[in-house]
Amino acid sequence: MSFVEYGDTIKDGDTAIVFLGHESMFPVKVQHGTVTQTKYGVIRHSTDLIGKKYGSKVTCSKGGWVFILHPTPELWTMNLPHRTQILYSTDISIITMMLELKPGSIVCESGTGSGSLSHALIRTVAPTGHLYTVEFHQQRAEKAREEFREHGVEHLVTVTNQDVCKSGFGVSNIADAVFLDIPSPWEAIGHAKSALKAEGGRICSFSPCIEQVQRTCLALEEYGFTEINTLEILLRVYNVRTISLQIPDLGKAAEDISSTGFDSSSPSHQGSPCANLQQGTVQFKSGVPLREVVGHTGYLTFATKS
């Protein structure tokens, strides 16, 4: 199993995603002799998981069932254990595009955190690229190394435990892109410039506060970066629902409809909008936005090394 290469069958030691529904899933490490409890009953790894194909429908001990999915960076972002605040797919997608990443790219990242963005970067630059990720906190760095090893991507990433603002990324003039998610990114701009290739490398800084953005932009200008711009990604989700609307009183037009001999009780007309004319309502499919929408997450500042 690898987060960058698809495996057909579930093996001992794999990380798999147990899918109970679109709003309910969780990761599990597959091990011989281990069981996993769900609201639908027990899943026995030895008999229910190992050797089965990814995507299989597994029946639990209480008769309910779940799907076992192959892990991807997107699924991992939704289910990973949080050691820090993380970046979600909305920001990750624009970061990978604006940094112009592709297979073979060399990327420097700080800080590693919970590894949400790291997994997406690794999948994007694989199989010949590399990620150099720096984490200030020792325990988080060690946990990240362990997860990368378990997920089969350790050959594509180097984890370093140090202060990027003081010691940099440990590489010089090789990176195609640099990503910063630290409290004071302006202190690391010089090291980022040193890590980037001679010309044309891209940098991105993620900051929740506009004051951080202002200081970072000033530092980027000081170090000669160009094409500096800041943006914010806001996501609005719509649910498709069936809604009932009252039919307006159109006078004679409504009488004309009833005079055509339309039989709303006929099975062939049960699903048509006119079926509810006598009740004074008609049903439509409509996109309805969620009442609560996730607001500001952070500002993304991009620039180019000239």
Side-chain angles (χ1 to χ4, degrees):
M1 184 278 301
S2 171
F3 273 54
V4 297
E5 297 176 358
Y6 182 78
D8 191 48
T9 59
I10 305 170
K11 300 181 178 60
D12 186 22
D14 280 3
T15 298
I17 306 296
V18 179
F19 180 88
L20 293 84
H22 289 290
E23 303 296 328
S24 180
M25 62 183 97
F26 59 90
V28 62
K29 185 174 181 179
V30 180
Q31 293 178 306
H32 269 296
T34 302
V35 298
T36 296
Q37 296 282 352
T38 75
K39 63 181 180 180
Y40 300 126
V42 172
I43 301 173
R44 295 175 175 82
H45 293 201
S46 299
T47 57
D48 297 334
L49 298 184
I50 297 175
K52 299 290 182 64
K53 288 189 175 182
Y54 278 106
S56 296
K57 183 178 179 180
V58 174
T59 302
C60 304
S61 61
K62 293 181 180 179
W65 47 266
V66 299
F67 287 104
I68 308 300
L69 306 181
H70 193 284
T72 65
E74 291 81 6
L75 289 174
W76 186 245
T77 290
M78 297 171 63
N79 296 281
L80 58 79
H82 285 235
R83 300 183 289 272
T84 59
Q85 291 289 335
I86 70 169
L87 290 176
Y88 290 92
S89 298
T90 307
D91 288 319
I92 291 173
S93 59
I94 196 71
I95 290 169
T96 55
M97 184 189 76
M98 294 292 286
L99 290 182
E100 303 173 3
L101 302 182
K102 60 186 182 300
S105 294
I106 305 297
V107 186
C108 293
E109 174 198 28
S110 183
T112 313
S114 300
S116 173
L117 176 64
S118 304
H119 282 81
L121 294 177
I122 291 170
R123 197 262 308 272
T124 302
V125 304
T128 56
H130 200 83
L131 171 66
Y132 294 90
T133 183
V134 177
E135 173 57 50
F136 175 78
H137 192 276
Q138 182 178 356
Q139 290 180 331
R140 288 201 292 263
E142 292 173 354
K143 185 62 178 178
R145 288 193 193 97
E146 179 184 339
E147 285 181 349
F148 293 142
R149 183 170 58 253
E150 291 178 352
H151 298 165
V153 296
E154 72 276 9
H155 61 293
L156 297 170
V157 57
T158 299
V159 182
T160 306
N161 173 219
Q162 64 188 28
D163 185 351
V164 70
C165 295
K166 295 180 179 179
S167 306
F169 294 93
V171 297
S172 299
N173 302 318
I174 65 169
D176 297 288
V178 169
F179 177 79
L180 298 174
D181 183 5
I182 55 179
S184 53
W186 55 89
E187 296 181 1
I189 299 300
H191 294 296
K193 183 176 182 179
S194 298
L196 287 168
K197 60 186 181 182
E199 185 177 358
R202 294 279 285 166
I203 184 172
C204 174
S205 173
F206 176 90
S207 297
C209 302
I210 195 65
E211 292 81 7
Q212 293 170 304
V213 174
Q214 291 171 331
R215 295 189 65 174
T216 301
C217 289
L218 290 173
L220 288 169
E221 288 182 343
E222 180 183 347
Y223 280 94
F225 283 85
T226 60
E227 299 179 332
I228 303 171
N229 66 89
T230 299
L231 52 86
E232 179 183 26
I233 308 299
L234 300 178
L235 177 67
R236 191 176 190 188
V237 178
Y238 282 78
N239 285 336
V240 177
R241 298 179 181 174
T242 300
I243 62 173
S244 296
L245 297 178
Q246 187 174 5
I247 298 175
D249 184 3
L250 302 178
K252 189 175 184 305
E255 295 176 4
D256 292 341
I257 294 176
S258 61
S259 66
T260 59
F262 177 78
D263 184 7
S264 62
S265 62
S266 172
S268 62
H269 296 121
Q270 289 288 326
S272 67
C274 295
N276 292 321
L277 283 176
Q278 293 180 348
Q279 289 76 33
T281 61
V282 63
Q283 291 186 331
F284 290 98
K285 291 290 186 182
S286 176
V288 181
L290 300 180
R291 293 186 176 182
E292 295 183 0
V293 179
V294 176
H296 172 77
T297 57
Y299 300 103
L300 293 170
T301 299
F302 295 92
T304 303
K305 182 179 178 181
S306 63

